[in-house]
Amino acid sequence: MATSSVSKGCFVFKPNFKKRKISVPVEDYFNKGKNESEDSKLRFETYQSIWQQMKSETEQLQEELNKNLFNSLIEFLQKSYSGFQKNSRDWGGQIKLREIPTAALILGVNVTDHDLTFRSLTEALHNNVTPYVVSLQAKDCPDMKHFLQKLVSQLMNCCVDEESKEESILVAQKKTFCSMDSLSSWYMSVTHINKTDPKMPRKKRTSSGQWQSPPVVLILKDLESFTTKVLQDFIIISSQHLHEFPLILIFGIATSPIIIHRLLPHAVSSLLCIELFQSLSCKEHLTTVLDKLLLTTHFPFKLSEKVLQILTNIFLYHDFSIQNFIKGLQLSLLEHFYSQPLSVLCCNLPEAKRRINFLSENQCENIRRLPSFRRYVEKQASEKQIALLTNERFLKEEVQSLLENLHVYHTDYFLVLRCLHQFTSSLPKYPLGRQIRELYCTCLEKNIWDSEEYESALQLLRMLAKDELMTILQKCLKVFKTSSEEQLGSTAKRIEEFLAQFQSLDAEAKEEDTSGLQSKGLQKTDLYHLQKSLLEMKELRRTSKKQTRFEVLREKVVNFIDSLVREYLLPPETQPLHEAVYFSAAHTLREHLNAAPRIALHTALNNPYHYLKNEALKSEEGCIPNVAPDICIAYKLHLECSRLINLVDWSEAFATVVTAAEKMDANSVTSEERNEIIHARFIRAVSELELLGFIKPTKQKTDHVARLTWGGC
Amino acid sequence: MMSTLELKEDKMLEVQFVGDDDVLNHILDREGGAKLKKERAQLLVNTKKIIKKPEYDLDEDDREVLKDQNYVEVLGRDIQESLKNGSAADGGNKVYSFQNRKPSEKMSKLASELAKTPRKNVSVNLKNDPEIMINIPQCSKRQSPSDKVQVKNNDKSEFLSTAPSGLRKRLIVPGSHSDSESEYSASNSEDEGVAQEYEEDTNEATLSQKIASQNRVVSAPVCKETPSKKMKRDKTSDLVEEYFEAHSSSKVLTSDRTLQKLKRAKLDQQTLHNLLSKVSPSFSAELKQLNQQYEQLFHKWMLQLRLGFNIVLFGLGSKRDLLERFRSAVLQDSIHVVINGFFPGISVKSILNSITEEVLDHMGTFRSLLDQLDWIVNKFKEDSSLELFLLIHNLDSQMLRGDKSQQIIGQLSSLRNICLIASIDHLNAPLMWDHAKQSLYNWLWYETTTYSPYTEETSYENSLLVKQSGSLPLSSLTHVLRSLTPNARGIFRLLIKYQLDNQDNPSYIGLSFQDFYQQCREAFLVNSDLTLRAQLTEFRDHKLIRTKKVRLLLQIICQDYLTSCLLQDKYTFGSTVGNKWRFYDGSQGSI
């Protein structure tokens, strides 16, 4: 069936029913279309399991991070609701009653993540506060009518799945005109049923709190995009009905709370009783995500420096979206398992060891071909080299031990990294970055101790005061203690020793102090004597040049940290077999996530040789051979023009170029026909340029087109 | 660097970290001369290292922004590695820089230059020396009057008589835009003699080598002059001024020639197609190679689609064939919908309709698009075994690029079991999507530059320079007329005739209802104004006419598009439409 027609733009293709039943499983696509399909099934399964783990981990994280916010929100809701109940009688309550309790939820600019937050918020409210939770988006409510309609239909839906009312009522309600009056009467009826109906299941009562008439919570997801009028009207009307329709508003705000006052005049905003809530900043969120997903041995999969850099940069400079970051992570995971045959070893240690035994001959070859493994082999003794390269069993055993080493390397690595971060994160000016991810990036990239920043960080460390140093050491100790690994047990002990020494220093210092005071004594002297004694003291200092015990100890601590760093924070490239777990194809990631379509278009038009590797197209910068595709020539010519382009000139210029190019060809066709063809080619090129958005027809002048881009050669 | 830093330090009040000991030292020995100073100096060095980026703030945000440079570096770092993104570094510079004002003949000059660029067989002789290879086009650019490669076409002779000095100037301009083109500016000061010599004796490799070396010598000082930030800043402000200069005056200097003077002004679609079919595509081997490269990705695309990503293809050239091949290669066994975004009548409504009616076999109607969308979403959420592939050619077409359409398509594509693979062509297509939409779409970008002509995409009668043959409106007119009563045909015929007669009258605003009624009565076509009104309503419903009220009089105007397409055939009007009329009149008897 053809997919072009002059009367239709959509073509539906349905395969035969029989065929449709056997839908191709996803993993088949994983296997197909590649040369190297070693263990692809296993790889795909590993990918899926790791991805599932990562996903659930991030979801769990999100939940935990939101917990605080939600708890305070729920508390606010409950408080304001009880306000409804209590104050309804006295005069102050009457005033209060006109004010709609409002929670302004500041969520930050990462709009894409808001949906998740709102979803879990709705759930939380549903479970803890009220069954009547409605969330509206600005695009659903262009005016009051739609606003109310949406509100009513969603409320009814809440009600329906709570109490399984007959659907007919719902449909009837939907069609009727919705007003606040009908809403409040509906609310009365519903809560009335709740009160009187003895058959109501107990369970439901308890779940929606012990209140008789639960409030209605309305979430406005994107306050900024609501029209002012709709908001104002709604707030005024509902404040009138507040005594019979207990409404609580939640504003989702992406920018800043000032927007409330910009949207609502004082008369309206005075009807709101606003409390601010701030959600966790997305950067902290990112830090925790990184902490839980990458800076751990829990997941075998790791990112190389460039990849991590690209992902964090997309996050920091483009969208602040955690979701996008995780998408990038998923893509890199997929790419890794798709393109690296040895990624089959990218799983937890015991499983990987088991898998090694089943590696095929090809896979063994793959291992031997790894650059990191080759480097490792070259360092071995010659008989061992031969064994590694020829004996499969020996190789497998060796690989097992190497993998184990890699695992140990990672556990140590992250411990030391965190420890170093404790030291450097509080230094003035943050020479090594404030966030652990920055530190991690530098460590991944190169030997960190070769960098200038590291030097200056160490120098700054050598100036730390004692109490600062001690708190840092205590934190480090905690880091080491939390890990169950025994590898760095001695390090923890050393730190404890240091701490003890510092403590003892304290005691000694006191003694010294007192003794020093005694020796100095405070005698009355004249200026001359004072000067003299000061000079003496200075002289004493210079000659002895002794460091205090504290200084000595501090030096020791810094040296200790330095040695730790040098020993354990080696970049992963130095580890044999790192290719199996590190994903390093940064450019594919960037191509697919952060593409540059304009540049691609420009390159294709300006330098066709970049794509069509034909010698005839080779040309120097800024110049184009006349045999290039028509559209390139037309493009190049149009760059010469300013805002308007005369079509006649353009077409003649085009013809000049093209005829010159064709001259070498056989002169079989008559010149008239050739001109016609050239003209047709010109028309095609021009209409393609129009489709691409470089030019558009204009009526400013006859037979002219307008240029839509700036710049040229 | 150092000096400026120190200057800064003087001016700024700074809090430095000073150890307890140093403080003590400072207090205790005031005249502590040399040693103390040394220590302080060291301290300064330390801080300086840290302050190196002077504006570094304690605030983390600012700090990360300031790392911009770093970021750009990272993103641009492996541009050379990847074949795909091309020469991004200077490419961007060109795309986004402002334009200069250019005299109108620029284009013709470039054309003649391009025409004279030696082709491959010329350069074969010199192939041994790569340096010369680069030099050839450059030298020939110094368009000397003695150039032998004259274009014989008489029309174009005027281009060739342009003075070389103007051309030279143009050659300097690019040099100032990007530093990489120092060779260009070199040619400025050189004497013509060398160039001519060169052209007289192209095959002499040694001589050209000399030129090359000379070029290098000359270019060196030019390079030295250009850098330094101040120059650059001046340049940008110059560019800004140039921009406003270019746009302040509404007058644009272009030649006044029009297409009418040319014999072949406009072609219609059919002849265009025929003519183009005679052109043999060049570089077919390379194109095939490109396409094969993309075809290898089909399975990967399928995998990624199934895993919840959506795929967008971009790059020069029609991607329709590629997607068609994708469809026939891997989609045969699954339900899929092909959507031609370039089809002028496409709308989101029709997309949703084809999904509800043909894919989900639903016969009901919906009150609004959003209702329909909700219904589809629910349906797909309920039935997880359902799987649908959407192929959209030209997601960025005129009809689909609206905010609402994109929102709806995005929401569709965000469903787990709807997979979307789309192509975009427009230069600014990515501007359609804000962050919210992008996260709905969950795109993976793939560059597929195919260089294939946009035949299908531009074939609908809306492109430039293509004669509106009017065959579509005329054929629809025929259909409508066929269903009319003879009297109604007569009414319409009267109206059309009147309008065509008054075509050249600029004050013509339509035929008033009363006049028209009179005429129709006289021709025994109607007997009351009610019948005429009913008839006119029918015409209006078919969009054959439009009416407007002028001074309370109803004016009837035949739709512009009809008159225009009838007018284009003014000479043939009598033969084609007239014949049709006669045909209808004739058939009247037989019915």
Side-chain angles (χ1 to χ4, degrees):
Chain A
M1 208 160 116
T3 54
S4 68
S5 139
V6 285
S7 60
K8 210 173 139 190
C10 297
F11 305 87
V12 178
F13 296 89
K14 274 176 143 180
N16 301 331
F17 198 72
K18 238 193 267 169
K19 266 190 186 169
R20 209 197 309 164
K21 276 285 148 189
I22 1 153
S23 80
V24 188
V26 188
E27 58 257 41
D28 275 21
Y29 296 112
F30 193 84
N31 310 340
K32 280 184 203 161
K34 275 181 305 163
N35 309 328
E36 303 220 43
S37 53
E38 292 292 329
D39 300 319
S40 53
K41 192 158 178 261
L42 201 57
R43 260 153 58 200
F44 185 70
E45 278 163 11
T46 326
Y47 157 75
Q48 289 229 304
S49 76
I50 291 184
W51 170 236
Q52 284 310 326
Q53 281 174 39
M54 281 188 165
K55 211 171 137 192
S56 59
E57 182 84 33
T58 48
E59 275 159 12
Q60 214 179 320
L61 257 182
Q62 175 110 19
E63 224 164 80
E64 275 169 33
L65 291 176
N66 281 331
K67 214 184 225 163
N68 272 333
L69 175 70
F70 288 174
N71 282 343
S72 52
L73 246 180
I74 287 169
E75 201 177 301
F76 165 75
L77 292 183
Q78 286 172 344
K79 201 176 69 201
S80 56
Y81 172 71
S82 59
F84 276 134
Q85 303 291 59
K86 257 186 250 157
N87 297 331
S88 51
R89 248 154 266 147
D90 58 74
W91 187 77
Q94 293 285 336
I95 297 290
K96 195 96 188 172
L97 206 50
R98 296 286 296 279
E99 289 183 356
I100 308 172
T102 306
L105 196 57
I106 297 160
L107 290 164
V109 288
N110 48 334
V111 190
T112 43
D113 296 340
H114 291 180
D115 257 354
L116 266 178
T117 316
F118 280 122
R119 213 175 302 149
S120 41
L121 175 63
T122 317
E123 211 172 280
L125 293 182
H126 217 281
N127 293 335
N128 296 316
V129 183
T130 167
Y132 307 117
V133 185
V134 178
S135 47
L136 290 181
Q137 270 177 300
K139 66 173 168 28
D140 298 334
C141 327
D143 50 29
M144 201 57 199
K145 194 179 130 202
H146 282 94
F147 192 105
L148 281 179
Q149 261 175 6
K150 269 274 170 206
L151 177 61
V152 169
S153 67
Q154 281 205 35
L155 264 182
M156 305 282 177
N157 276 338
C158 300
C159 168
V160 163
D161 49 38
E162 274 290 322
E163 293 163 26
S164 62
K165 264 191 177 178
E166 309 96 273
E167 208 141 296
S168 58
I169 299 176
L170 194 153
V171 175
Q173 277 279 2
K174 233 181 178 175
K175 293 267 156 70
T176 54
F177 177 71
C178 311
S179 70
M180 218 52 204
D181 277 331
S182 64
L183 250 184
S184 50
S185 63
W186 165 84
Y187 181 77
M188 286 298 272
S189 71
V190 171
T191 48
H192 188 67
I193 291 169
N194 263 2
K195 254 182 247 169
T196 54
D197 198 352
K199 281 176 273 174
M200 273 306 300
R202 287 280 117 188
K203 187 188 80 199
K204 194 231 130 195
R205 279 270 164 95
T206 48
S207 74
S208 65
Q210 56 278 74
W211 311 322
Q212 308 265 291
S213 47
V216 175
V217 177
L218 174 61
I219 303 174
L220 302 181
K221 283 185 179 175
D222 39 354
L223 185 75
E224 282 94 341
S225 29
F226 274 91
T227 41
T228 326
K229 197 168 175 315
V230 171
L231 266 186
Q232 287 180 16
D233 288 353
F234 178 75
I235 289 170
I236 292 171
I237 295 171
S238 51
S239 82
Q240 297 290 332
H241 287 266
L242 205 59
H243 58 282
E244 43 190 18
F245 187 71
L247 181 76
I248 298 178
L249 292 173
I250 296 180
F251 291 160
I253 298 174
T255 51
S256 85
I258 299 170
I259 196 76
I260 299 175
H261 298 287
R262 222 171 271 164
L263 278 174
L264 305 172
H266 181 69
V268 179
S269 61
S270 66
L271 293 174
L272 301 175
C273 172
I274 304 176
E275 199 164 319
L276 276 183
F277 294 89
Q278 178 90 44
S279 81
L280 189 79
S281 95
C282 47
K283 261 183 280 175
E284 277 166 56
H285 195 164
L286 178 74
T287 312
T288 36
V289 166
L290 278 177
D291 208 48
K292 284 278 174 330
L293 294 185
L294 290 177
L295 299 176
T296 166
T297 46
H298 187 203
F299 295 105
F301 176 69
K302 299 279 179 296
L303 296 179
S304 79
E305 185 259 333
K306 270 186 193 170
V307 176
L308 186 63
Q309 196 81 282
I310 280 182
L311 284 182
T312 47
N313 281 334
I314 289 177
F315 176 85
L316 290 173
Y317 299 102
H318 289 260
D319 50 11
F320 285 122
S321 162
I322 297 292
Q323 267 189 309
N324 261 350
F325 183 84
I326 290 169
K327 171 191 166 190
L329 202 60
Q330 186 192 3
L331 183 67
S332 32
L333 190 67
L334 178 64
E335 279 287 332
H336 180 63
F337 279 96
Y338 189 79
S339 55
Q340 173 62 266
L342 285 174
S343 58
V344 71
L345 299 179
C346 182
C347 53
N348 56 24
L349 190 59
E351 175 67 20
K353 278 183 172 173
R354 201 183 60 78
R355 282 182 190 177
I356 289 172
N357 292 325
F358 299 105
L359 283 186
S360 68
E361 211 162 303
N362 263 341
Q363 285 284 53
C364 290
E365 257 330 288
N366 281 335
I367 291 179
R368 286 182 187 131
R369 251 179 256 137
L370 285 183
S372 67
F373 187 74
R374 272 205 218 149
R375 252 174 280 146
Y376 171 76
V377 170
E378 276 159 21
K379 276 183 211 147
Q380 306 303 316
S382 60
E383 54 266 37
K384 201 178 175 190
Q385 279 186 10
I386 295 166
L388 279 174
L389 293 179
T390 51
N391 189 344
E392 208 165 282
R393 260 197 54 198
F394 187 73
L395 175 80
K396 281 178 181 173
E397 274 164 23
E398 191 65 24
V399 167
Q400 275 185 345
S401 73
L402 282 179
L403 274 183
E404 203 161 325
N405 286 347
L406 195 63
H407 183 76
V408 171
Y409 161 77
H410 277 137
T411 35
D412 296 350
Y413 190 95
F414 293 124
L415 282 177
V416 175
L417 185 74
R418 276 170 218 274
C419 182
L420 180 62
H421 178 64
Q422 293 296 350
F423 275 97
T424 57
S425 62
S426 55
L427 291 179
K429 308 276 189 187
Y430 311 102
L432 285 171
R434 182 187 243 180
Q435 302 282 347
I436 196 165
R437 60 160 192 269
E438 298 166 58
L439 187 64
Y440 185 43
C441 268
T442 10
C443 290
L444 283 178
E445 194 189 352
K446 57 188 176 206
N447 292 337
I448 188 171
W449 54 87
D450 289 340
S451 68
E452 236 172 75
E453 288 86 2
Y454 182 74
E455 278 303 308
S456 58
L458 277 195
Q459 293 221 4
L460 284 172
L461 279 181
R462 292 205 174 96
M463 289 175 228
L464 278 184
K466 194 169 72 182
D467 44 350
E468 283 174 299
L469 205 57
M470 278 177 76
T471 47
I472 291 175
L473 278 178
Q474 261 148 6
K475 277 185 203 158
C476 287
L477 190 60
K478 223 181 274 168
V479 169
F480 283 113
K481 283 270 168 70
T482 48
S483 78
S484 54
E485 301 293 324
E486 285 300 297
Q487 308 293 339
L488 285 166
S490 61
T491 330
K493 229 174 267 166
R494 290 271 323 256
I495 293 176
E496 266 174 346
E497 276 171 30
F498 279 129
L499 275 172
Q501 280 173 354
F502 274 119
Q503 238 115 40
S504 66
L505 242 179
D506 253 349
E508 278 171 37
K510 256 176 216 158
E511 279 169 28
E512 218 169 75
D513 257 8
T514 46
S515 63
L517 266 181
Q518 276 170 356
S519 72
K520 263 184 216 159
L522 281 171
Q523 302 153 325
K524 267 189 185 172
T525 46
D526 52 10
L527 194 63
Y528 173 74
H529 275 108
L530 179 67
Q531 208 171 7
K532 206 176 170 187
S533 63
L534 283 177
L535 267 175
E536 266 168 22
M537 269 160 106
K538 204 195 89 189
E539 201 62 26
L540 224 153
R541 232 162 220 292
R542 194 182 282 173
T543 48
S544 71
K545 207 187 160 190
K546 66 152 190 198
Q547 287 174 304
T548 60
R549 295 194 49 180
F550 166 69
E551 280 171 330
V552 174
L553 204 52
R554 186 171 60 187
E555 190 64 31
K556 261 189 197 166
V557 171
V558 173
N559 287 342
F560 171 64
I561 289 301
D562 191 34
S563 67
L564 272 186
V565 167
R566 281 167 198 264
E567 189 175 352
Y568 293 108
L569 286 188
L570 293 161
E573 279 81 43
T574 57
Q575 303 299 314
L577 292 185
H578 73 266
E579 287 95 337
V581 292
Y582 277 87
F583 173 67
S584 55
H587 61 99
T588 47
L589 203 64
R590 202 195 61 242
E591 257 166 42
H592 298 325
L593 291 179
N594 201 3
R598 282 186 76 137
I599 288 177
L601 208 56
H602 181 78
T603 315
L605 287 168
N606 240 348
N607 182 16
Y609 179 71
H610 193 264
Y611 294 94
L612 306 171
K613 301 284 180 202
N614 190 317
E615 283 304 313
L617 286 174
K618 218 168 187 175
S619 69
E620 68 176 300
E621 166 81 20
C623 196
I624 204 167
N626 50 20
V627 287
D630 293 347
I631 187 167
C632 300
I633 291 170
Y635 173 78
K636 200 76 196 166
L637 288 172
H638 110 289
L639 286 181
E640 292 298 307
C641 295
S642 59
R643 270 187 298 152
L644 292 183
I645 306 172
N646 186 319
L647 278 173
V648 184
D649 288 352
W650 196 4
S651 107
E652 282 180 353
F654 180 81
T656 320
V657 177
V658 175
T659 16
E662 276 190 350
K663 196 161 287 159
M664 316 305 184
D665 299 350
N667 250 336
S668 55
V669 269
T670 61
S671 78
E672 186 48 40
E673 196 182 352
R674 204 181 59 197
N675 284 345
E676 287 251 306
I677 290 176
I678 287 172
H679 187 62
R681 281 164 63 182
F682 172 69
I683 289 175
R684 179 171 66 183
V686 168
S687 42
E688 284 176 358
L689 282 180
E690 190 194 356
L691 182 87
L692 293 176
F694 285 103
I695 53 167
K696 68 168 187 191
T698 178
K699 285 186 175 160
Q700 279 185 39
K701 213 169 170 186
T702 41
D703 291 330
H704 276 66
V705 287
R707 250 188 93 175
L708 296 176
T709 50
W710 310 125
C713 49
Chain B
M1 188 67 186
M2 282 308 253
S3 62
T4 51
L5 266 174
E6 263 152 23
L7 252 174
K8 269 225 163 89
E9 222 154 279
D10 287 343
K11 280 178 204 162
M12 284 193 298
L13 190 67
E14 264 192 25
V15 182
Q16 287 176 345
F17 178 81
V18 182
D20 297 358
D21 271 28
D22 301 312
V23 175
L24 241 159
N25 268 341
H26 194 67
I27 297 166
L28 280 184
D29 36 0
R30 281 183 308 167
E31 343 107 75
K35 183 202 158 198
L36 181 66
K37 259 182 195 163
K38 231 182 250 165
E39 258 188 40
R40 255 185 75 74
Q42 208 162 10
L43 248 175
L44 281 183
V45 172
N46 287 336
T47 33
K48 229 176 272 161
K49 264 180 200 162
I50 302 154
I51 314 167
K52 220 182 244 161
K53 291 145 198 166
E55 289 112 319
Y56 253 29
D57 207 316
L58 284 180
D59 195 338
E60 190 193 6
D61 299 17
D62 294 356
R63 179 162 175 220
E64 272 159 351
V65 172
L66 275 165
K67 272 193 176 168
D68 251 357
Q69 208 69 37
N70 195 0
Y71 162 65
V72 172
E73 214 172 86
V74 169
L75 286 190
R77 194 179 285 166
D78 37 14
I79 258 168
Q80 258 62 41
E81 290 168 30
S82 68
L83 169 118
K84 297 298 167 71
N85 268 322
S87 53
D90 39 20
N93 181 25
K94 278 177 189 164
V95 181
Y96 302 113
S97 67
F98 294 114
Q99 70 183 116
N100 297 321
R101 278 188 93 163
K102 288 165 188 145
S104 51
E105 327 84 72
K106 279 290 158 59
M107 188 154 64
S108 49
K109 270 183 213 161
L110 183 78
S112 46
E113 272 168 45
L114 285 179
K116 274 174 274 162
T117 311
R119 301 208 43 214
K120 202 190 163 197
N121 44 5
V122 178
S123 59
V124 163
N125 316 341
L126 309 167
K127 213 174 180 181
N128 326 336
D129 195 343
E131 189 67 44
I132 307 162
M133 281 283 280
I134 300 165
N135 266 316
I136 296 159
Q138 183 193 326
C139 290
S140 66
K141 265 188 176 176
R142 289 175 216 142
Q143 188 189 26
S144 68
S146 67
D147 209 314
K148 284 162 217 156
V149 201
Q150 285 274 355
V151 184
K152 276 157 201 156
N153 203 323
N154 295 334
D155 293 351
K156 286 132 209 161
S157 57
E158 54 195 284
F159 301 153
L160 303 175
S161 60
T162 44
S165 61
L167 193 67
R168 293 270 184 71
K169 248 182 223 159
R170 196 188 68 75
L171 287 174
I172 306 166
V173 175
S176 64
H177 276 285
S178 64
D179 316 49
S180 59
E181 287 171 303
S182 52
E183 302 159 278
Y184 277 62
S185 44
S187 66
N188 180 32
S189 57
E190 248 182 327
D191 48 342
E192 231 164 286
V194 182
Q196 266 171 358
E197 238 178 321
Y198 173 73
E199 268 170 30
E200 276 165 29
D201 204 347
T202 13
N203 288 339
E204 215 164 294
T206 48
L207 181 59
S208 53
Q209 211 152 19
K210 198 175 92 195
I211 296 169
S213 59
Q214 264 183 0
N215 271 351
R216 247 182 267 132
V217 170
V218 180
S219 66
V222 177
C223 282
K224 263 178 204 162
E225 277 168 27
T226 36
S228 100
K229 277 177 190 172
K230 267 186 192 169
M231 286 283 280
K232 264 185 189 166
R233 205 169 298 149
D234 284 348
K235 235 154 242 164
T236 50
S237 65
D238 272 357
L239 282 174
V240 173
E241 267 161 32
E242 272 169 23
Y243 172 82
F244 285 111
E245 204 179 298
H247 286 262
S248 56
S249 63
S250 56
K251 233 173 141 188
V252 183
L253 293 172
T254 49
S255 72
D256 293 331
R257 305 195 299 160
T258 56
L259 285 172
Q260 274 182 336
K261 287 176 195 154
L262 277 145
K263 275 166 278 167
R264 32 168 211 286
K266 285 190 172 182
L267 304 168
D268 63 21
Q269 200 68 50
Q270 194 55 44
T271 37
L272 185 69
H273 188 75
N274 289 341
L275 282 172
L276 286 177
S277 63
K278 287 177 198 161
V279 184
S280 58
S282 44
F283 309 115
S284 46
E286 285 83 4
L287 288 174
K288 206 173 154 195
Q289 203 183 335
L290 268 183
N291 274 317
Q292 274 171 354
Q293 210 177 315
Y294 302 139
E295 272 165 37
Q296 282 169 4
L297 293 171
F298 282 175
H299 283 290
K300 199 172 175 188
W301 289 353
M302 213 40 200
L303 174 73
Q304 285 168 340
L305 286 174
R306 292 281 291 264
L307 289 177
F309 295 105
N310 292 311
I311 287 175
V312 61
L313 309 179
F314 64 94
L316 181 68
S318 169
K319 288 159 281 284
R320 194 167 169 277
D321 289 337
L322 187 69
L323 280 176
E324 275 297 301
R325 259 173 284 143
F326 173 70
R327 190 175 75 82
S328 52
V330 287
L331 284 184
Q332 281 312 316
D333 294 340
S334 34
I335 314 173
H336 55 278
V337 181
V338 178
I339 295 151
N340 291 340
F342 49 83
F343 176 66
I346 195 81
S347 65
V348 187
K349 176 94 184 142
S350 58
I351 296 175
L352 291 184
N353 275 344
S354 56
I355 293 176
T356 49
E357 282 162 21
E358 293 183 62
V359 177
L360 300 172
D361 298 317
H362 176 79
M363 279 307 133
T365 53
F366 297 91
R367 280 193 306 155
S368 73
L369 276 180
L370 287 178
D371 278 351
Q372 197 168 3
L373 180 70
D374 284 345
W375 189 83
I376 295 174
V377 170
N378 284 332
K379 200 82 180 169
F380 273 96
K381 274 186 179 156
E382 279 164 21
D383 187 0
S384 60
S385 69
L386 214 53
E387 201 166 50
L388 175 68
F389 289 86
L390 292 178
L391 265 98
I392 305 186
H393 303 294
N394 283 82
L395 185 60
D396 56 345
S397 68
Q398 287 284 351
M399 301 304 293
L400 296 181
R401 68 174 65 147
D403 189 52
K404 267 205 177 135
S405 321
Q406 290 296 327
Q407 179 73 32
I408 288 174
I409 298 174
Q411 264 166 313
L412 273 184
S413 70
S414 69
L415 289 175
R416 193 82 183 82
N417 36 10
I418 291 188
C419 307
L420 171 67
I421 179 165
S423 66
I424 56 169
D425 287 303
H426 196 279
L427 182 65
N428 296 323
L431 297 182
M432 292 188 294
W433 304 313
D434 53 11
H435 282 312
K437 285 199 198 73
Q438 273 190 17
S439 82
L440 278 179
Y441 275 118
N442 201 16
W443 287 131
L444 287 186
W445 298 74
Y446 274 90
E447 183 180 344
T448 52
T449 301
T450 61
Y451 282 101
S452 34
Y454 293 96
T455 325
E456 196 70 36
E457 287 89 333
T458 55
S459 69
Y460 293 93
E461 298 193 344
N462 47 10
S463 46
L464 275 169
L465 281 176
V466 176
K467 193 164 63 176
Q468 305 285 324
S469 69
S471 61
L472 261 178
L474 275 186
S475 78
S476 54
L477 176 64
T478 323
H479 276 99
V480 173
L481 288 182
R482 240 178 228 155
S483 62
L484 292 177
T485 60
N487 277 357
R489 279 183 223 154
I491 294 170
F492 188 69
R493 190 182 177 191
L494 264 182
L495 182 65
I496 275 277
K497 269 209 165 145
Y498 185 80
Q499 182 137 348
L500 287 181
D501 290 344
N502 283 292
Q503 193 61 51
D504 299 329
N505 181 1
S507 61
Y508 173 75
I509 48 161
L511 178 59
S512 83
F513 182 76
Q514 284 310 321
D515 294 348
F516 193 34
Y517 178 54
Q518 272 310 322
Q519 288 184 26
C520 290
R521 268 185 79 102
E522 280 158 19
F524 300 109
L525 290 170
V526 292
N527 51 8
S528 74
D529 70 341
L530 268 185
T531 25
L532 181 60
R533 266 181 208 281
Q535 201 54 62
L536 289 179
T537 315
E538 191 176 346
F539 288 159
R540 199 165 49 203
D541 290 347
H542 284 296
K543 299 233 166 72
L544 294 180
I545 61 165
R546 63 195 161 91
T547 54
K548 63 177 177 185
K549 282 220 166 111
V550 181
R551 277 176 255 114
L552 293 177
L553 287 174
L554 192 64
Q555 303 285 345
I556 303 149
I557 305 158
C558 193
Q559 281 287 9
D560 287 334
Y561 73 88
L562 275 183
T563 43
S564 64
C565 69
L566 289 175
L567 248 190
Q568 276 173 4
D569 293 316
K570 198 164 190 179
Y571 307 106
T572 56
F573 176 67
S575 56
T576 57
V577 183
N579 277 340
K580 268 176 202 155
W581 285 104
R582 237 165 276 142
F583 168 74
Y584 291 128
D585 292 344
S587 67
Q588 187 185 333
S590 65
I591 294 167

